[in-house]
Structure formats: structure tokens, C-alpha cells
Amino acid sequence: IKSNGLEVPWTGSDKTFNWHPLLATIGYIVIAGDGTLVFRGLSRMGVASKTALKVIHVGVMSAALGCIGLSLAAIFKHFETRGHPHLHSFHSKLGLACSVQFATQYLVGLVFYAFPWMPANGRRMFMPFHRFFGKALLVMSSMVLLTGMMEKLGQEAAAGLTYHSSGNQTGIALGFLSVYCVAIMLFMLGRDEYRRYHSPNAGDSPSYPSGSKGDGKGDGSEMALLPQN
């Protein structure tokens, strides 16, 4: 991106390809990563309404899905223009699998939590799976990023370019930074003290067990992601 830049409209050139890593990184790591922390971060910043948190969560994940879709469109356009085969590497297959899982997680989440027709018992039953696949997507997205970076560096090495160029070093640094960001997100998602616990009265601030925020002694009945009917 630093050397070739970007282009609009897309012609399938290297400038079209550059949209792919940019949009994928923004969608998977930046936007979707923030989306996973909406219920934990914003609730501790004073946003007490579950409905407001749900709307923000869906909006952020919608933006992430849009970025991911555009990143796929960019790489398919580039490959079609250059005559390259699609899904020719581990990175491309892993990236497609991650995209499909993200879209599935998004749609199933809408069915279970965005609308009132799903019984509360069904929401509670599915919630552990929703959380698990959300964390799995963070791990998969970092794997997609790293495999893509390794594939690109390998192609440049085969073309006689050096690993020590400023562009390559910037890419490697961003890869490490993204992995550390995902690790921090997983840490926050795994800590009870960052959870938003159920408030028994509508409009109340989130309640935490034992009368203090963040002591991590929840009784397992928190309703952080459940919608209000």
C-alpha cells in the first residue's frame, strides 16, 4: 500500500489488491475486535441500556462484515484481471472459511438476539456457543492476517525483493501488533470483572456481584447479551 497506493474504481491492478489487506485488517481486527468488547467496555463507561448496547454491537459488526465483503471483492477482482486461480493457497481457503463463519455468526446472532421471537431459554442455551465462536473468529482472523502476510512476503522474495525493505518491515510490525491486540481482547473477554451483569430493574445501571464492580464472583446469571422483549 505504501509503495503502490489505492485506486477507485477498481481495475484489478496492484492498487486494487491493496484494498484487500487494508479492508480485511480493519474489518477483522479493528472493527470486529471492538464489536466483541461493546458489552464489556461501554457498559463500564456508563452505557447501561442493554438495548443501546445491542444496537451498537449490531452496527459495529455490520460495518465489519461490510469491510470483509469488500476485501473479498477486491482480491477476486484482482485475481480475475490477472488470470490467477482463486483459492489456490492455505491463506485463501482459511480466509474464505473465516469470512463464511463470520457471516454465519452475524446472521445467527441476529436471529437469536436482535428480534423478540426467540424464547429466553433458547437465547440462554445458544449464548455459550455465540461467545465461543466470537472468540474463535478473533483467533482465526489473526491466523488469516499472518498467513496472508507470509504469503505476500514469500512472493516478494521469489521476485527478488528483500525482506528488509521498509514496506515489509512495516507489514511485519503491523502483524505483531494485530496479534497482540487479539491477545488483549481475548484476555478481556475471559475476565469476569469486565462482564456486564444483569440489572434487575429496567433503566438501572449494571449490577455487579457482592456490591462491587469487577470482583469476578458472578453467579452465572448475567444477561449481558440477552435482549429485552
Side-chain angles (χ1 to χ4, degrees):
I1 294 175
K2 181 179 179 182
S3 59
N4 296 327
L6 304 167
E7 68 175 1
V8 176
W10 294 346
T11 63
S13 67
D14 288 340
K15 293 183 179 181
T16 298
F17 170 84
N18 288 340
W19 281 104
H20 172 66
L22 176 64
L23 290 171
T25 302
I26 293 174
Y28 278 124
I29 305 298
V30 179
I31 302 180
D34 288 341
T36 61
L37 299 176
V38 162
F39 287 91
R40 297 181 178 236
L42 292 184
S43 63
R44 301 182 71 86
M45 294 172 62
V47 181
S49 170
K50 287 185 292 184
T51 301
L53 291 171
K54 283 168 51 183
V55 170
I56 295 171
H57 181 66
V58 172
V60 171
M61 289 306 187
S62 297
L65 185 62
C67 286
I68 293 168
L70 288 174
S71 74
L72 291 177
I75 192 62
F76 275 98
K77 175 68 174 179
H78 175 72
F79 280 176
E80 288 175 0
T81 302
R82 294 298 179 90
H84 297 325
H86 298 299
L87 303 176
H88 65 285
S89 66
F90 176 74
H91 165 71
S92 59
K93 293 180 175 63
L94 181 64
L96 182 60
C98 191
S99 301
V100 171
Q101 182 175 324
F102 189 97
T104 302
Q105 171 87 338
Y106 177 86
L107 293 175
V108 174
L110 285 180
V111 170
F112 273 83
Y113 302 111
F115 304 103
W117 58 55
M118 184 62 61
N121 288 338
R123 297 169 186 158
R124 292 190 183 93
M125 179 187 68
F126 181 71
M127 179 53 62
F129 299 97
H130 189 66
R131 290 172 175 164
F132 168 78
F133 284 110
K135 296 175 184 177
L137 277 168
L138 285 175
V139 175
M140 286 185 66
S141 64
S142 63
M143 292 175 62
V144 170
L145 175 66
L146 292 177
T147 55
M149 182 183 67
M150 292 173 62
E151 181 178 317
K152 184 64 176 176
L153 291 176
Q155 292 172 353
E156 293 186 352
L161 300 177
T162 175
Y163 277 93
H164 300 289
S165 66
S166 60
N168 286 345
Q169 293 302 311
T170 301
I172 292 172
L174 289 176
F176 275 108
L177 179 62
S178 298
V179 171
Y180 278 111
C181 285
V182 169
I184 292 172
M185 294 172 193
L186 292 174
F187 172 80
M188 295 182 67
L189 290 172
R191 300 291 295 180
D192 285 341
E193 56 262 37
Y194 292 110
R195 287 187 178 182
R196 179 191 186 279
Y197 287 89
H198 174 58
S199 178
N201 299 314
D204 288 352
S205 299
S207 59
Y208 292 82
S210 301
S212 62
K213 292 186 177 182
D215 63 4
K217 298 178 182 178
D219 59 2
S221 63
E222 77 279 0
M223 306 287 285
L225 305 186
L226 298 187
Q228 293 174 313
N229 291 322

